Amino acid sequence: MSQYRLPAPAEQRLLNELQARLVAAEELPRFHSLLRRHHYLGSLKPVGERLYYGVTDGRGEWVGLLVFNSAAKHLKFREQWIGWTGEQARRRLSLVVNNSRYLLLPQQNAPNLGSKALRLVLKRLSDDWQARYGHPVLVVETFVDPDRFCGTVYTA
């Protein structure tokens, strides 16, 4: 028996109505409060370039929160995976960003909610980054604790 199921009509409506938007500066205190309360790592104060996203339902209420920020300077396996030399990594590191926080808030749930929310944000991330920082995003990385998660949302 498969553990997967199709969304019920109300869940499908939620998925159809999802939208992703940048979080306004005045919303950041609430954003960080929700991360502290619901994310197992809490909130963070990213250094360098960063964007905060809220994924909203049809009423405009947050169902997901995501933080993207500058990537770590040196990750041997990232450079190997991309195929960069040390010099290429130094010149191109600004094109890599880290998804340092991803939280689906507990009040809403539906099959595929995580992957749909992530897709909506990734669809606009490079354009938003270009508008804010003057360069695109070519690679998004993240770290998943395998003792807690399978990484299914990122795989999907």
Side-chain angles (χ1 to χ4, degrees):
M1 182 74 145
S2 173
Q3 63 182 2
Y4 304 106
R5 67 175 177 83
L6 293 174
E11 294 169 330
Q12 188 60 56
R13 196 167 30 260
L14 168 65
L15 294 173
N16 292 343
E17 294 174 346
L18 286 181
Q19 293 187 21
R21 66 173 178 80
L22 288 167
V23 172
E26 61 272 11
E27 297 174 299
L28 286 175
R30 179 171 173 251
F31 184 98
H32 288 294
S33 174
L34 288 167
L35 282 177
R36 280 191 302 275
R37 190 172 335 139
H38 297 291
H39 196 283
Y40 77 104
L41 294 174
S43 190
L44 78 162
K45 292 187 180 186
V47 177
E49 299 173 335
R50 59 192 163 269
L51 290 177
Y52 300 89
Y53 286 92
V55 177
T56 60
D57 63 14
R59 298 181 326 266
E61 297 295 321
W62 285 340
V63 297
L65 307 174
L66 296 94
V67 180
F68 295 84
N69 54 270
S70 301
K73 278 194 174 227
H74 301 288
L75 286 178
K76 177 176 130 182
F77 294 110
R78 174 186 58 215
E79 278 85 44
Q80 287 176 348
W81 177 77
I82 294 173
W84 283 345
T85 65
E87 177 59 24
Q88 289 170 325
R90 187 189 63 71
R91 287 193 334 264
R92 298 175 182 167
L93 185 61
S94 65
L95 304 175
V96 180
V97 299
N98 182 277
N99 175 208
S100 53
R101 290 293 185 276
Y102 185 10
L103 172 67
L104 293 176
L105 293 164
Q107 73 269 16
Q108 298 265 14
N109 199 3
N112 307 315
L113 177 62
S115 55
K116 172 82 183 265
L118 183 61
R119 181 179 61 80
L120 289 172
V121 172
L122 292 178
K123 185 177 178 181
R124 60 176 293 168
L125 177 65
S126 187
D127 289 341
D128 291 340
W129 207 273
Q130 178 78 42
R132 176 79 52 93
Y133 297 111
H135 64 86
V137 169
L138 297 182
V139 176
V140 177
E141 65 186 12
T142 194
F143 302 96
V144 175
D145 180 348
D147 291 334
R148 289 180 164 266
F149 306 103
C150 299
T152 307
V153 167
Y154 293 101
T155 302

